[in-house]
Amino acid sequence: MHIPDAFIPLPQAAVYWLIAIVFIALALKWARNELSEEKIPLIAVLAAGIFAIQAFNLPVGMGTSGHLVGGALAAIVLGSPYAAVFVLSIVLIIQGVIFGDGGITTMGANIINMGVIGGFVGYYTFTGVKKVIGNTYASAGIAAWLACLIPALACAIEMFVAGTFPLVEGLIAMGLYHAIIGIIEGILTAGGIYLIATARPDLIETETSGGITA
């Protein structure tokens, strides 16, 4: 899902960067207001974990790959979609600048897909589904699955607009792979939230998520 340089024309990449910068600024504002000293280690653990799970790539074809995202996990644990933008931006900048995983010119699109779309879809799916079924871990699993699938479809559409992907084939390839990968992401997200809630329930943001109760 990491779009490399040259896969998106520079004018389009610049538009994605401008949108990403707006969300990064909002995420930094969230961090200034909400990030307490005791949550900094949790941010570091989440960033390291997301970095690790994104390292396992499956080739999708047409020059891209599929992998877990992690946006839902960060948003649910920290209680805000902007937390996902914050954590995923850190991860994607390190991956792109140091490890060459994802382009520099296309980093704005990557931040939008995995941080913004992944975080917002994950967080609001979680809160909505939890109100209906009442189970935190099932809600987190469903949210994580959708937060893996939707960014992949957005990536395919961006590549089509850029002239890199055929639309139908791109949507089928990215959607199919990430619908399957999303099942793994759903299980890992639900499991991760269970472990954190069990070991350090004080670190789980409960104000906006309605509490971590199964």
Side-chain angles (χ1 to χ4, degrees):
M1 202 185 300
H2 291 63
I3 304 174
D5 283 321
F7 272 52
I8 295 179
L10 287 178
Q12 291 179 26
V15 172
Y16 296 131
W17 253 119
L18 288 174
I19 297 170
I21 287 171
V22 171
F23 280 95
I24 290 171
L26 293 171
L28 290 173
K29 183 179 179 183
W30 167 85
R32 279 197 304 271
N33 294 333
E34 304 293 336
L35 195 55
S36 60
E37 208 169 285
E38 62 181 6
K39 284 188 175 177
I40 292 177
L42 181 59
I43 291 278
V45 170
L46 285 170
I50 291 170
F51 185 98
I53 63 174
Q54 288 192 357
F56 296 98
N57 287 286
L58 293 173
V60 174
M62 294 178 282
T64 188
S65 61
H67 55 74
L68 304 177
V69 177
L73 176 64
I76 294 168
V77 169
L78 295 168
S80 170
Y82 293 106
V85 179
F86 183 77
V87 173
L88 266 294
S89 294
I90 294 172
V91 170
L92 290 167
I93 289 170
I94 293 173
Q95 288 174 334
V97 172
I98 299 179
F99 296 96
D101 190 8
I104 303 299
T105 61
T106 55
M107 192 179 293
N110 290 329
I111 290 173
I112 290 172
N113 293 337
M114 289 178 264
V116 177
I117 298 176
F120 275 78
V121 169
Y123 179 75
Y124 287 108
T125 300
F126 170 73
T127 55
V129 173
K130 188 169 182 288
K131 285 179 183 175
V132 176
I133 67 175
N135 185 294
T136 295
Y137 307 112
S139 303
I142 294 169
W145 178 80
L146 206 57
C148 182
L149 175 64
I150 300 299
L153 298 178
C155 177
I157 292 172
E158 290 161 2
M159 302 279 261
F160 165 71
V161 173
T164 308
F165 266 18
L167 180 60
V168 175
E169 291 86 345
L171 286 171
I172 291 173
M174 291 291 283
L176 181 60
Y177 272 83
H178 286 88
I180 297 171
I181 293 170
I183 296 172
I184 301 171
E185 173 141 7
I187 294 170
L188 291 178
T189 299
I193 290 171
Y194 172 78
L195 291 174
I196 295 173
T198 302
R200 291 293 305 272
D202 55 306
L203 292 179
I204 296 284
E205 179 59 55
T206 60
E207 184 176 349
T208 55
S209 62
I212 298 297
T213 54

mmCIF file of all heavy atoms in Angstrom, residues 40-75:
data_model
loop_
_atom_site.group_PDB
_atom_site.id
_atom_site.type_symbol
_atom_site.label_atom_id
_atom_site.label_comp_id
_atom_site.label_asym_id
_atom_site.label_seq_id
_atom_site.Cartn_x
_atom_site.Cartn_y
_atom_site.Cartn_z
ATOM 1 N N ILE A 40 3.313 8.627 26.448
ATOM 2 C CA ILE A 40 4.405 8.657 25.466
ATOM 3 C C ILE A 40 4.988 7.261 25.228
ATOM 4 O O ILE A 40 5.209 6.864 24.075
ATOM 5 C CB ILE A 40 5.488 9.664 25.901
ATOM 6 C CG1 ILE A 40 4.912 11.083 25.819
ATOM 7 C CG2 ILE A 40 6.726 9.543 25.019
ATOM 8 C CD1 ILE A 40 5.858 12.162 26.282
ATOM 9 N N PRO A 41 5.240 6.458 26.299
ATOM 10 C CA PRO A 41 5.713 5.086 26.024
ATOM 11 C C PRO A 41 4.715 4.273 25.206
ATOM 12 O O PRO A 41 5.119 3.456 24.371
ATOM 13 C CB PRO A 41 5.885 4.496 27.436
ATOM 14 C CG PRO A 41 6.078 5.671 28.324
ATOM 15 C CD PRO A 41 5.213 6.752 27.750
ATOM 16 N N LEU A 42 3.415 4.490 25.430
ATOM 17 C CA LEU A 42 2.404 3.764 24.660
ATOM 18 C C LEU A 42 2.462 4.163 23.184
ATOM 19 O O LEU A 42 2.340 3.306 22.294
ATOM 20 C CB LEU A 42 1.009 4.049 25.224
ATOM 21 C CG LEU A 42 -0.176 3.348 24.533
ATOM 22 C CD1 LEU A 42 -0.014 1.836 24.589
ATOM 23 C CD2 LEU A 42 -1.494 3.775 25.175
ATOM 24 N N ILE A 43 2.661 5.466 22.930
ATOM 25 C CA ILE A 43 2.820 5.927 21.545
ATOM 26 C C ILE A 43 4.010 5.231 20.897
ATOM 27 O O ILE A 43 3.941 4.767 19.749
ATOM 28 C CB ILE A 43 3.037 7.458 21.515
ATOM 29 C CG1 ILE A 43 1.766 8.191 21.934
ATOM 30 C CG2 ILE A 43 3.505 7.905 20.130
ATOM 31 C CD1 ILE A 43 0.745 8.377 20.858
ATOM 32 N N ALA A 44 5.113 5.139 21.646
ATOM 33 C CA ALA A 44 6.321 4.510 21.111
ATOM 34 C C ALA A 44 6.080 3.032 20.817
ATOM 35 O O ALA A 44 6.508 2.517 19.774
ATOM 36 C CB ALA A 44 7.474 4.672 22.105
ATOM 37 N N VAL A 45 5.379 2.358 21.731
ATOM 38 C CA VAL A 45 5.092 0.928 21.527
ATOM 39 C C VAL A 45 4.177 0.730 20.323
ATOM 40 O O VAL A 45 4.399 -0.163 19.492
ATOM 41 C CB VAL A 45 4.457 0.323 22.803
ATOM 42 C CG1 VAL A 45 3.925 -1.080 22.529
ATOM 43 C CG2 VAL A 45 5.471 0.288 23.929
ATOM 44 N N LEU A 46 3.137 1.571 20.217
ATOM 45 C CA LEU A 46 2.224 1.459 19.076
ATOM 46 C C LEU A 46 2.956 1.725 17.763
ATOM 47 O O LEU A 46 2.765 1.007 16.771
ATOM 48 C CB LEU A 46 1.070 2.455 19.236
ATOM 49 C CG LEU A 46 -0.008 2.092 20.263
ATOM 50 C CD1 LEU A 46 -0.950 3.263 20.484
ATOM 51 C CD2 LEU A 46 -0.797 0.865 19.817
ATOM 52 N N ALA A 47 3.788 2.761 17.736
ATOM 53 C CA ALA A 47 4.530 3.087 16.516
ATOM 54 C C ALA A 47 5.462 1.939 16.126
ATOM 55 O O ALA A 47 5.535 1.556 14.948
ATOM 56 C CB ALA A 47 5.326 4.377 16.713
ATOM 57 N N ALA A 48 6.152 1.378 17.119
ATOM 58 C CA ALA A 48 7.067 0.261 16.829
ATOM 59 C C ALA A 48 6.298 -0.962 16.345
ATOM 60 O O ALA A 48 6.718 -1.654 15.400
ATOM 61 C CB ALA A 48 7.874 -0.083 18.082
ATOM 62 N N GLY A 49 5.157 -1.233 16.994
ATOM 63 C CA GLY A 49 4.352 -2.380 16.593
ATOM 64 C C GLY A 49 3.790 -2.231 15.191
ATOM 65 O O GLY A 49 3.816 -3.177 14.393
ATOM 66 N N ILE A 50 3.290 -1.025 14.874
ATOM 67 C CA ILE A 50 2.736 -0.777 13.544
ATOM 68 C C ILE A 50 3.843 -0.840 12.495
ATOM 69 O O ILE A 50 3.644 -1.380 11.399
ATOM 70 C CB ILE A 50 2.013 0.583 13.520
ATOM 71 C CG1 ILE A 50 0.736 0.499 14.373
ATOM 72 C CG2 ILE A 50 1.666 0.997 12.097
ATOM 73 C CD1 ILE A 50 0.059 1.829 14.614
ATOM 74 N N PHE A 51 5.010 -0.303 12.840
ATOM 75 C CA PHE A 51 6.154 -0.391 11.932
ATOM 76 C C PHE A 51 6.455 -1.864 11.620
ATOM 77 O O PHE A 51 6.692 -2.230 10.462
ATOM 78 C CB PHE A 51 7.381 0.265 12.573
ATOM 79 C CG PHE A 51 8.578 0.343 11.673
ATOM 80 C CD1 PHE A 51 8.861 1.504 10.975
ATOM 81 C CD2 PHE A 51 9.430 -0.744 11.518
ATOM 82 C CE1 PHE A 51 9.960 1.585 10.136
ATOM 83 C CE2 PHE A 51 10.529 -0.680 10.685
ATOM 84 C CZ PHE A 51 10.800 0.488 9.993
ATOM 85 N N ALA A 52 6.421 -2.699 12.643
ATOM 86 C CA ALA A 52 6.765 -4.117 12.470
ATOM 87 C C ALA A 52 5.714 -4.846 11.625
ATOM 88 O O ALA A 52 6.066 -5.601 10.710
ATOM 89 C CB ALA A 52 6.906 -4.783 13.832
ATOM 90 N N ILE A 53 4.415 -4.618 11.922
ATOM 91 C CA ILE A 53 3.389 -5.375 11.194
ATOM 92 C C ILE A 53 3.297 -4.929 9.733
ATOM 93 O O ILE A 53 2.914 -5.704 8.867
ATOM 94 C CB ILE A 53 2.001 -5.270 11.862
ATOM 95 C CG1 ILE A 53 1.479 -3.832 11.861
ATOM 96 C CG2 ILE A 53 2.035 -5.835 13.262
ATOM 97 C CD1 ILE A 53 0.047 -3.693 12.386
ATOM 98 N N GLN A 54 3.692 -3.663 9.468
ATOM 99 C CA GLN A 54 3.675 -3.204 8.078
ATOM 100 C C GLN A 54 4.860 -3.736 7.283
ATOM 101 O O GLN A 54 4.894 -3.610 6.061
ATOM 102 C CB GLN A 54 3.660 -1.672 8.027
ATOM 103 C CG GLN A 54 2.335 -1.051 8.440
ATOM 104 C CD GLN A 54 2.246 0.423 8.101
ATOM 105 O OE1 GLN A 54 3.199 1.021 7.609
ATOM 106 N NE2 GLN A 54 1.109 1.022 8.364
ATOM 107 N N ALA A 55 5.830 -4.325 7.975
ATOM 108 C CA ALA A 55 7.021 -4.842 7.290
ATOM 109 C C ALA A 55 6.726 -6.125 6.526
ATOM 110 O O ALA A 55 7.481 -6.509 5.630
ATOM 111 C CB ALA A 55 8.134 -5.078 8.303
ATOM 112 N N PHE A 56 5.615 -6.800 6.899
ATOM 113 C CA PHE A 56 5.271 -8.040 6.212
ATOM 114 C C PHE A 56 4.399 -7.713 4.995
ATOM 115 O O PHE A 56 3.205 -7.469 5.123
ATOM 116 C CB PHE A 56 4.545 -8.988 7.168
ATOM 117 C CG PHE A 56 5.396 -9.427 8.322
ATOM 118 C CD1 PHE A 56 5.289 -8.801 9.551
ATOM 119 C CD2 PHE A 56 6.329 -10.437 8.173
ATOM 120 C CE1 PHE A 56 6.084 -9.187 10.621
ATOM 121 C CE2 PHE A 56 7.136 -10.836 9.224
ATOM 122 C CZ PHE A 56 7.012 -10.207 10.460
ATOM 123 N N ASN A 57 5.025 -7.678 3.848
ATOM 124 C CA ASN A 57 4.344 -7.281 2.612
ATOM 125 C C ASN A 57 4.027 -8.491 1.748
ATOM 126 O O ASN A 57 4.842 -9.406 1.612
ATOM 127 C CB ASN A 57 5.229 -6.316 1.814
ATOM 128 C CG ASN A 57 5.275 -4.950 2.462
ATOM 129 O OD1 ASN A 57 4.318 -4.188 2.401
ATOM 130 N ND2 ASN A 57 6.390 -4.623 3.098
ATOM 131 N N LEU A 58 2.835 -8.469 1.166
ATOM 132 C CA LEU A 58 2.471 -9.470 0.173
ATOM 133 C C LEU A 58 2.347 -8.780 -1.178
ATOM 134 O O LEU A 58 1.655 -7.769 -1.291
ATOM 135 C CB LEU A 58 1.124 -10.115 0.534
ATOM 136 C CG LEU A 58 1.095 -10.970 1.799
ATOM 137 C CD1 LEU A 58 -0.344 -11.387 2.098
ATOM 138 C CD2 LEU A 58 1.972 -12.195 1.632
ATOM 139 N N PRO A 59 3.037 -9.277 -2.221
ATOM 140 C CA PRO A 59 2.929 -8.640 -3.534
ATOM 141 C C PRO A 59 1.517 -8.735 -4.087
ATOM 142 O O PRO A 59 0.934 -9.823 -4.138
ATOM 143 C CB PRO A 59 3.927 -9.433 -4.396
ATOM 144 C CG PRO A 59 4.098 -10.741 -3.696
ATOM 145 C CD PRO A 59 3.909 -10.459 -2.236
ATOM 146 N N VAL A 60 0.953 -7.582 -4.470
ATOM 147 C CA VAL A 60 -0.394 -7.534 -5.041
ATOM 148 C C VAL A 60 -0.333 -7.531 -6.559
ATOM 149 O O VAL A 60 -1.251 -7.969 -7.233
ATOM 150 C CB VAL A 60 -1.137 -6.277 -4.528
ATOM 151 C CG1 VAL A 60 -2.485 -6.106 -5.212
ATOM 152 C CG2 VAL A 60 -1.326 -6.360 -3.019
ATOM 153 N N GLY A 61 0.782 -7.075 -7.090
ATOM 154 C CA GLY A 61 0.911 -6.920 -8.531
ATOM 155 C C GLY A 61 0.802 -5.459 -8.914
ATOM 156 O O GLY A 61 0.462 -4.598 -8.089
ATOM 157 N N MET A 62 1.105 -5.153 -10.145
ATOM 158 C CA MET A 62 1.047 -3.795 -10.679
ATOM 159 C C MET A 62 1.934 -2.843 -9.883
ATOM 160 O O MET A 62 1.652 -1.651 -9.768
ATOM 161 C CB MET A 62 -0.414 -3.290 -10.705
ATOM 162 C CG MET A 62 -1.290 -4.058 -11.684
ATOM 163 S SD MET A 62 -3.020 -3.544 -11.697
ATOM 164 C CE MET A 62 -3.625 -4.339 -10.232
ATOM 165 N N GLY A 63 3.004 -3.372 -9.259
ATOM 166 C CA GLY A 63 3.998 -2.535 -8.606
ATOM 167 C C GLY A 63 3.714 -2.171 -7.170
ATOM 168 O O GLY A 63 4.416 -1.346 -6.601
ATOM 169 N N THR A 64 2.708 -2.763 -6.577
ATOM 170 C CA THR A 64 2.424 -2.426 -5.180
ATOM 171 C C THR A 64 2.278 -3.702 -4.358
ATOM 172 O O THR A 64 2.410 -4.803 -4.868
ATOM 173 C CB THR A 64 1.149 -1.556 -5.076
ATOM 174 O OG1 THR A 64 0.999 -1.099 -3.727
ATOM 175 C CG2 THR A 64 -0.075 -2.349 -5.485
ATOM 176 N N SER A 65 2.025 -3.530 -3.063
ATOM 177 C CA SER A 65 1.964 -4.683 -2.175
ATOM 178 C C SER A 65 0.872 -4.469 -1.140
ATOM 179 O O SER A 65 0.350 -3.371 -0.976
ATOM 180 C CB SER A 65 3.318 -4.879 -1.474
ATOM 181 O OG SER A 65 3.638 -3.741 -0.691
ATOM 182 N N GLY A 66 0.542 -5.556 -0.430
ATOM 183 C CA GLY A 66 -0.471 -5.482 0.609
ATOM 184 C C GLY A 66 0.139 -5.785 1.961
ATOM 185 O O GLY A 66 1.086 -6.547 2.073
ATOM 186 N N HIS A 67 -0.414 -5.155 3.004
ATOM 187 C CA HIS A 67 0.085 -5.390 4.361
ATOM 188 C C HIS A 67 -0.935 -4.888 5.373
ATOM 189 O O HIS A 67 -1.899 -4.203 5.022
ATOM 190 C CB HIS A 67 1.430 -4.685 4.571
ATOM 191 C CG HIS A 67 1.385 -3.218 4.274
ATOM 192 N ND1 HIS A 67 0.777 -2.296 5.112
ATOM 193 C CD2 HIS A 67 1.851 -2.517 3.220
ATOM 194 C CE1 HIS A 67 0.891 -1.099 4.579
ATOM 195 N NE2 HIS A 67 1.530 -1.192 3.429
ATOM 196 N N LEU A 68 -0.702 -5.189 6.641
ATOM 197 C CA LEU A 68 -1.538 -4.659 7.711
ATOM 198 C C LEU A 68 -1.310 -3.153 7.802
ATOM 199 O O LEU A 68 -0.278 -2.645 7.350
ATOM 200 C CB LEU A 68 -1.176 -5.330 9.029
ATOM 201 C CG LEU A 68 -1.251 -6.874 9.051
ATOM 202 C CD1 LEU A 68 -0.790 -7.385 10.405
ATOM 203 C CD2 LEU A 68 -2.646 -7.363 8.757
ATOM 204 N N VAL A 69 -2.267 -2.438 8.419
ATOM 205 C CA VAL A 69 -2.173 -0.970 8.472
ATOM 206 C C VAL A 69 -1.911 -0.461 9.892
ATOM 207 O O VAL A 69 -0.950 0.252 10.133
ATOM 208 C CB VAL A 69 -3.452 -0.320 7.896
ATOM 209 C CG1 VAL A 69 -3.393 1.207 8.020
ATOM 210 C CG2 VAL A 69 -3.636 -0.728 6.431
ATOM 211 N N GLY A 70 -2.801 -0.782 10.818
ATOM 212 C CA GLY A 70 -2.589 -0.377 12.214
ATOM 213 C C GLY A 70 -3.295 0.911 12.622
ATOM 214 O O GLY A 70 -3.228 1.310 13.787
ATOM 215 N N GLY A 71 -3.969 1.572 11.698
ATOM 216 C CA GLY A 71 -4.626 2.844 12.021
ATOM 217 C C GLY A 71 -5.745 2.691 13.045
ATOM 218 O O GLY A 71 -5.891 3.514 13.954
ATOM 219 N N ALA A 72 -6.537 1.640 12.908
ATOM 220 C CA ALA A 72 -7.638 1.425 13.848
ATOM 221 C C ALA A 72 -7.116 1.181 15.250
ATOM 222 O O ALA A 72 -7.667 1.702 16.229
ATOM 223 C CB ALA A 72 -8.496 0.243 13.378
ATOM 224 N N LEU A 73 -6.057 0.400 15.373
ATOM 225 C CA LEU A 73 -5.489 0.096 16.690
ATOM 226 C C LEU A 73 -5.073 1.378 17.416
ATOM 227 O O LEU A 73 -5.430 1.596 18.575
ATOM 228 C CB LEU A 73 -4.287 -0.840 16.535
ATOM 229 C CG LEU A 73 -3.525 -1.172 17.818
ATOM 230 C CD1 LEU A 73 -4.416 -1.936 18.786
ATOM 231 C CD2 LEU A 73 -2.265 -1.980 17.502
ATOM 232 N N ALA A 74 -4.331 2.239 16.713
ATOM 233 C CA ALA A 74 -3.870 3.483 17.334
ATOM 234 C C ALA A 74 -5.046 4.383 17.709
ATOM 235 O O ALA A 74 -5.078 4.957 18.804
ATOM 236 C CB ALA A 74 -2.919 4.215 16.384
ATOM 237 N N ALA A 75 -6.025 4.494 16.820
ATOM 238 C CA ALA A 75 -7.160 5.386 17.080
ATOM 239 C C ALA A 75 -8.008 4.890 18.247
ATOM 240 O O ALA A 75 -8.447 5.684 19.086
ATOM 241 C CB ALA A 75 -8.018 5.494 15.818
#
